Amino acid sequence: MSHFIDQQRRRFLGIAAGTLVAARFGITGPAHAQARATLPAIKPGAHTSLGPLKQIDVGVLNVGYVEMGPASGAAVILLHGWPYDIHSYADVAPALAEAGYRVIVPYLRGYGSTRFLSRETKRSGQPIAVAADIIALMDALKIEKAILGGYDWGARTANIMAALWPERCKAMVSVSGYLIGSQEAGRMPLPPKAELQWWYQFYFATERGREGYDKYRHDFAKLIWQIASPKWQFDDATFDRSAAAFHNPDHVDVVVHNYRWRLGLAEGEAKYDAFEKQLAQAPVIAVPTITMEGDANGAPHPEPSAYAKKFSGRYEHRLLTGGIGHNLPQEAPQAFAQAIIDVAQG
């Protein structure tokens, strides 16, 4: 199953210092895509739509997704987080498509037009289940190997895929680094200040919290956006485009199960037990990886020094300055798109 990269190759070869600076500060720089073209300047918020949605049956789901770029291009799968949606990549996806990549941006289970095929299927938010959805999507789209990019739930999903199915992952861009967890780790108490950042997780552990999120999901999500990206001046139209995805009938069940599962308050699916044992060992990721962090990320996130050794292949960390928060692809699309191109080409 494993096509591991030589562990001695710790750093990316051929990435000039100027490219790193460009990626960090959002300056237009040379793109290393198939055509070796220059990545055009990307203005955050320039695109308000990703184009028409496609739907496809994938495992237990009918997945809604957007596809851009040439079918013959190297596949890039971009994964959103909570409480966000595919519009996080409204500026990134067109730029990568123009650079020659086949870009796939799916709604995760519980979001947008993605639906469960059966009423009997557990509305699970277990992270391994979300990762398995994306592997199934790749199978359905006949994508053998893809470059993965994500933040929040999307980064965790990409991490799990890279750890368990490295032969399906060409390279990865992961915001906030290594996010693989386990129920055992989730039971460990944190210092009070760190626990405070997870207030919503404890809220979701109660039935009052579940009902509150269901009733106030629009206001709840907007509050999370403000806390997680305190310097991002998004407008109502930008938020409302994404908030529409939370009206999915399974959204609340999936989100609440995800956070209850992390605390060991909800059971996962038995079919994933063997995978969970592997993930509980915090496996090292060997695929080429760039991790990214914004200097104004208000959401809980680990320090880069805490996870650097979890990546044994070609690896680089990029810190973005200028008030970049949690939703890094939407706040700094130039830097994120450049990182995808750089990690893909090495």
Side-chain angles (χ1 to χ4, degrees):
M1 180 180 287
S2 304
H3 293 185
F4 282 64
I5 306 298
D6 182 351
Q7 294 190 5
Q8 298 302 314
R9 298 179 68 198
R10 302 266 180 178
R11 297 180 179 275
F12 285 99
L13 302 177
I15 298 179
T19 302
L20 176 56
V21 172
R24 287 183 174 177
F25 297 97
I27 303 169
T28 305
H32 305 290
Q34 290 97 325
R36 300 290 174 179
T38 299
L39 185 65
I42 304 173
K43 180 182 178 182
H47 298 85
T48 59
S49 172
L50 282 165
L53 280 173
K54 297 182 177 181
Q55 299 289 144
I56 189 169
D57 286 351
V58 169
V60 300
L61 302 171
N62 177 265
V63 171
Y65 68 101
V66 168
E67 181 170 359
M68 294 183 175
S72 59
V76 175
I77 299 178
L78 302 175
L79 303 168
H80 68 80
W82 171 84
Y84 305 93
D85 83 324
I86 63 173
H87 288 89
S88 291
Y89 298 104
D91 295 317
V92 170
L96 293 176
E98 190 141 339
Y101 292 91
R102 179 188 180 189
V103 184
I104 310 293
V105 192
Y107 279 114
L108 301 185
R109 55 169 59 195
Y111 294 81
S113 63
T114 292
R115 297 288 190 274
F116 286 88
L117 295 172
S118 171
R119 292 182 180 179
E120 306 304 316
T121 303
K122 182 180 181 67
R123 269 45 177 175
S124 169
Q126 189 176 356
I128 178 62
V130 181
D133 292 341
I134 306 305
I135 292 293
L137 176 63
M138 291 175 66
D139 290 341
L141 296 177
K142 296 180 170 51
I143 297 173
E144 181 179 350
K145 205 165 190 173
I147 302 146
L148 305 176
Y151 69 100
D152 196 83
W153 283 28
R156 181 173 289 104
T157 300
N159 289 180
I160 292 171
M161 293 171 65
L164 296 180
W165 298 286
E167 74 281 3
R168 307 301 298 273
C169 180
K170 179 180 179 181
M172 177 174 63
V173 172
S174 178
V175 176
S176 296
Y178 186 92
L179 297 178
I180 293 175
S182 67
Q183 286 188 316
E184 182 178 352
R187 293 188 182 100
M188 298 296 291
L190 300 172
K193 188 175 181 180
E195 294 281 25
L196 180 61
Q197 290 187 299
W198 290 104
W199 65 271
Y200 53 86
Q201 182 169 254
F202 301 112
Y203 182 67
F204 290 154
T206 68
E207 280 308 299
R208 172 178 171 147
R210 187 198 182 285
E211 292 176 10
Y213 184 56
D214 191 11
K215 183 176 181 179
Y216 299 109
R217 68 183 79 176
H218 183 279
D219 293 345
F220 195 107
K222 194 168 189 177
L223 175 62
I224 294 294
W225 278 38
Q226 292 165 343
I227 293 172
S229 299
K231 296 186 178 181
W232 182 30
Q233 301 300 312
F234 60 87
D235 57 24
D236 288 341
T238 297
F239 174 76
D240 289 342
R241 275 191 292 274
S242 290
F246 313 147
H247 293 292
N248 182 297
D250 304 306
H251 179 74
V252 174
D253 287 340
V254 169
V255 169
V256 169
H257 182 268
N258 176 282
Y259 288 103
R260 289 185 181 180
W261 179 89
R262 294 192 203 185
L263 293 174
L265 301 177
E267 294 184 358
E269 297 180 76
K271 65 182 178 180
Y272 297 124
D273 285 353
F275 289 123
E276 291 294 0
K277 289 180 180 178
Q278 294 181 57
L279 295 174
Q281 301 303 311
V284 170
I285 292 174
V287 304
T289 300
I290 291 177
T291 58
M292 307 184 77
E293 192 60 83
D295 65 340
N297 185 359
H301 62 278
E303 289 296 320
S305 59
Y307 56 71
K309 292 184 179 179
K310 302 307 294 185
F311 300 96
S312 63
R314 291 182 286 130
Y315 174 70
E316 179 185 342
H317 179 73
R318 298 182 178 181
L319 173 65
L320 305 188
T321 60
I324 304 303
H326 190 59
N327 185 2
L328 191 150
Q330 195 163 1
E331 297 176 60
Q334 183 89 33
F336 192 89
Q338 188 67 58
I340 291 287
I341 290 172
D342 290 346
V343 79
Q345 298 299 321

